[in-house]
Structure formats: structure tokens, C-alpha cells
């Protein structure tokens, strides 16, 4: 099994939301299938998940099309790189080195 990161963007007509998800798969083909299955069920609006499909296999519509989610990329990644990227994306102040030191030690 290998690690893959899925990057997706949710559009709701007013704002865009970036999503980053981590998954394990045998290969990129299986990773893309897992990602599509996951995002197809992103919202439970009472409809069957297959009804959210559009003509683009990496794009899904929810709540009569007012929310759209698009898979932007599926790529292989190393866990330490993903953790560092998540810290960089989500922190609001400088992070003390000791909080992220374990990723440097594991390299």
C-alpha cells in the first residue's frame, strides 16, 4: 500500500473551500476510485450518491447543483511531507520546532 493525497475544491456559489484528504491504495488507479467514491457521498441530502455524478468523473453536484465539488489532483505522497504541508496550511502563528521535530527526525 502507498499513501496518496487527494486535493479537492468545494464551490458553493459564494466561497471556495480547499479539501486535502489522505488515503492508502495499491496504485493511483485505486486511489482515484477511492477518492471518487468518498466525495460522491460527501453530503447526505437524501438522494442516492450516484445522482451526484456529473459528466466529469471528478466532479460532483449536491443539493440541486448549488454545491459542486471537484477533485483537483490525486498524487502519491510521503506522510512526513503531508504532515508538514498540513501544518503550513493550517497554522496561524510560527510553530515551535519541538512541535514538528519528529518529522525532521524521521527523514
Amino acid at each position: 500500500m502507498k499513501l496518496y493525497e487527494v486535493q479537492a475544491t468545494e464551490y458553493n456559489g459564494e466561497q471556495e473551500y480547499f479539501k486535502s484528504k489522505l488515503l492508502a491504495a495499491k496504485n493511483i488507479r485505486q486511489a482515484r476510485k477511492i477518492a471518487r467514491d468518498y466525495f460522491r457521498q460527501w453530503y447526505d441530502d437524501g438522494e442516492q450518491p450516484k445522482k451526484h455524478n456529473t459528466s466529469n468523473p471528478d466532479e460532483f453536484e449536491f443539493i440541486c447543483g448549488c454545491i459542486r465539488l471537484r477533485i483537483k489532483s490525486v498524487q502519491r505522497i510521503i506522510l512526513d511531507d503531508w504532515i508538514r504541508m498540513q501544518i503550513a496550511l493550517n497554522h496561524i502563528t510560527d510553530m515551535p520546532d519541538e512541535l514538528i521535530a519528529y518529522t525532521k527526525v524521521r527523514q
Side-chain angles (χ1 to χ4, degrees), residues 11-26:
Y11 307 89
N12 70 8
E14 296 178 14
Q15 297 177 329
E16 295 180 3
Y17 297 96
F18 171 78
K19 313 282 184 200
S20 174
K21 300 293 182 186
L22 192 64
L23 63 93
K26 289 188 261 184

Side-chain angles (χ1 to χ4, degrees), residues 11-12 43-48 51-54 60-68:
Y11 307 89
N12 70 8
Y43 285 96
D44 181 6
D45 59 3
E47 290 185 358
Q48 292 295 323
K51 290 190 176 191
H52 300 304
N53 290 354
T54 68
F60 311 94
E61 291 184 347
F62 303 92
I63 310 172
C64 301
C66 68
I67 296 175
R68 191 180 47 173

Side-chain angles (χ1 to χ4, degrees), residues 2 12 15 26 28 35 41 49 65 68 90 92 102-104:
K2 299 171 186 146
N12 70 8
Q15 297 177 329
K26 289 188 261 184
I28 188 74
Q41 298 178 48
R68 191 180 47 173
N90 294 299
I92 59 173
Y102 88 97
T103 61
K104 293 177 185 174

Side-chain angles (χ1 to χ4, degrees), residues 4-104:
Y4 292 88
E5 179 193 23
V6 180
Q7 294 183 352
T9 304
E10 175 190 328
Y11 307 89
N12 70 8
E14 296 178 14
Q15 297 177 329
E16 295 180 3
Y17 297 96
F18 171 78
K19 313 282 184 200
S20 174
K21 300 293 182 186
L22 192 64
L23 63 93
K26 289 188 261 184
N27 54 45
I28 188 74
R29 190 174 178 181
Q30 184 187 34
R32 191 165 286 283
K33 181 186 180 327
I34 292 168
R36 287 174 177 157
D37 290 346
Y38 175 78
F39 284 118
R40 185 176 291 119
Q41 298 178 48
W42 187 258
Y43 285 96
D44 181 6
D45 59 3
E47 290 185 358
Q48 292 295 323
K50 295 228 183 251
K51 290 190 176 191
H52 300 304
N53 290 354
T54 68
S55 58
N56 178 346
D58 290 335
E59 186 173 289
F60 311 94
E61 291 184 347
F62 303 92
I63 310 172
C64 301
C66 68
I67 296 175
R68 191 180 47 173
L69 188 130
R70 181 179 300 152
I71 296 173
K72 296 289 193 172
S73 70
V74 178
Q75 59 191 356
R76 194 161 167 211
I77 194 160
I78 297 167
L79 183 59
D80 291 343
D81 292 343
W82 187 80
I83 291 169
R84 275 195 296 281
M85 186 171 46
Q86 291 305 306
I87 291 169
L89 284 171
N90 294 299
H91 78 283
I92 59 173
T93 62
D94 288 333
M95 297 299 288
D97 288 339
E98 60 269 12
L99 291 178
I100 58 174
Y102 88 97
T103 61
K104 293 177 185 174

